[in-house]
């Protein structure tokens, strides 16, 4: 059976980023694409935002992490709800590659702005990614940048194949 991997759409060169651009990953688009079937998803487009659109950032408001657009709109709930919906529908996947640093898709070290304007830190997880990872704890996740590291790449691919083998058996 074919190996299916979810991926942030922008990593495949789709022009879905806030600035109308993409973040094409050569490794994913050229090499990995030969061996797997990608399921591209862009949560920000899926919740009805177009491209281009106002950028979004993570904001720490009294300890609660919110996704706020540059226009002041709170997009936390729609991104979280979309993550929940997709987690329920993505059962056949064997892995997921997320776009680093995104307030929606970032797996770790996403910049979080503090309300006070002081102490902004790279400590967050994208709202959509956090929901997916919480709901699908056995699914291997990785970020595009980390896949440039041969050890992390090998580790991810091994986990994907192991899960796929298991899914094929049961
Ligand atoms: Fe869309 Fe995620 Fe890429 Fe942002 S990082 S453009 S939300 S797929």
């Amino acid at each position: 059976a074919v190996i299916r991997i979810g991926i942030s759409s922008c990593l495949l060169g789709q022009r879905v980023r806030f600035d109308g651009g993409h973040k094409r990953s050569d490794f994913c688009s050229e090499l990995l694409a030969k061996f797997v079937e990608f399921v591209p998803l862009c949560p920000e487009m899926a919740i009805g935002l177009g491209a281009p659109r106002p950028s979004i950032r993570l904001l720490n408001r009294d300890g609660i992490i919110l996704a706020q657009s540059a226009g002041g709109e709170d997009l936390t709930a729609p991104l979280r709800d979309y993550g929940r919906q997709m987690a329920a529908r993505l059962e056949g996947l064997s892995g997921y590659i997320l776009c680093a640093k995104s307030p929606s898709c970032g797996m770790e070290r996403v910049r979080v702005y503090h309300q006070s304007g002081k102490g902004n830190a790279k400590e967050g997880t994208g709202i959509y990614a956090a929901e997916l990872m919480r709901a699908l704890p056995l699914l291997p996740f990785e970020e595009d940048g980390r896949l440039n590291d041969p050890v992390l790449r090998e580790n991810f691919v091994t986990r994907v194949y192991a899960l796929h083998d298991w899914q094929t058996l049961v």
Side-chain angles (χ1 to χ4, degrees):
V2 68
I3 297 177
R4 297 174 78 235
I5 294 188
I7 188 168
S8 298
S9 309
C10 55
L11 296 177
L12 293 182
Q14 296 184 15
R15 296 185 176 277
V16 292
R17 294 192 75 217
F18 74 96
D19 58 2
H22 59 76
K23 283 204 70 178
R24 188 176 186 277
S25 152
D26 289 345
F27 169 68
C28 296
S29 306
E30 285 167 26
L31 188 60
L32 202 50
K34 291 181 187 159
F35 303 100
V36 307
E37 180 183 298
F38 281 124
V39 178
L41 296 161
C42 174
E44 293 181 22
M45 293 292 280
I47 64 169
L49 307 175
R53 57 184 172 271
S55 61
I56 297 173
R57 65 181 189 173
L58 293 183
L59 178 70
N60 182 336
R61 183 180 290 159
D62 302 326
I64 296 171
I65 308 296
L66 304 173
Q68 191 181 58
S69 83
E73 201 180 347
D74 182 354
L75 297 167
T76 318
L79 286 170
R80 198 167 42 214
D81 291 349
Y82 181 66
R84 273 185 203 150
Q85 276 173 34
M86 293 320 293
R89 289 190 206 156
L90 290 175
E91 274 182 7
L93 295 187
S94 303
Y96 205 114
I97 300 173
L98 291 159
C99 180
K101 297 181 188 164
S102 158
S104 301
C105 291
M107 194 173 103
E108 57 182 26
R109 299 186 316 281
V110 180
R111 186 175 293 282
V112 178
Y113 292 81
H114 285 251
Q115 207 173 12
S116 64
K118 288 182 188 162
N120 300 334
K122 293 181 183 176
E123 62 188 11
T125 298
I127 302 290
Y128 166 75
E131 210 48 45
L132 277 190
M133 291 193 285
R134 190 191 56 74
L136 302 169
L138 299 181
L139 188 66
F141 283 91
E142 195 45 282
E143 285 188 334
D144 56 315
R146 286 164 49 98
L147 288 170
N148 294 327
D149 179 317
V151 175
L152 295 176
R153 180 187 295 191
E154 171 87 24
N155 182 289
F156 176 68
V157 171
T158 304
R159 286 184 291 140
V160 166
Y161 272 82
L163 178 58
H164 181 254
D165 285 351
W166 171 254
Q167 288 165 329
T168 316
L169 274 176
V170 291

